[in-house]
Amino acid sequence: MKQNISLNSKELTTILINVLLVKLFFVFPKKLITNSGNAAWLQFIYLAIISVLAFFLLLACQKKCTTKNIIELSEK
């Protein structure tokens, strides 16, 4: 039995935000302190800018593929 699973733009946006926030809260603080010490806040600003750019790039790619859902795209 095949189920038709589809995600709309709002759901994909919330998934992307959740992925970034989980990484931000659980992984980055320890790695930032061990890598940079007192200058961790500079590295955090640099990584935040890169994350925002990657987020908007992913949203732009998702808007171009609005006819297919994320499950169909991942199968290809």
Side-chain angles (χ1 to χ4, degrees):
M1 185 161 105
K2 189 174 182 181
Q3 295 178 348
N4 188 8
I5 300 172
S6 64
L7 299 173
N8 60 17
S9 178
K10 183 178 178 181
E11 292 169 341
L12 289 175
T13 304
T14 57
I15 288 173
L16 288 173
I17 290 171
N18 284 336
V19 167
L20 290 174
L21 287 179
V22 165
K23 184 95 169 163
L24 176 75
F25 289 132
F26 293 122
V27 177
F28 280 162
K30 183 179 179 181
K31 285 188 179 183
L32 286 176
I33 297 300
T34 57
N35 288 339
S36 303
N38 290 336
W41 65 275
L42 289 172
Q43 188 177 1
F44 180 76
I45 291 172
Y46 173 70
L47 290 173
I49 292 170
I50 291 173
S51 298
V52 168
L53 291 175
F55 178 75
F56 286 119
L57 178 69
L58 288 172
L59 280 179
C61 291
Q62 189 269 330
K63 286 181 182 178
K64 289 183 180 180
C65 300
T66 56
T67 58
K68 298 179 183 176
N69 63 22
I70 190 76
I71 307 298
E72 291 174 357
L73 291 174
S74 63
E75 286 176 356
K76 290 185 178 181

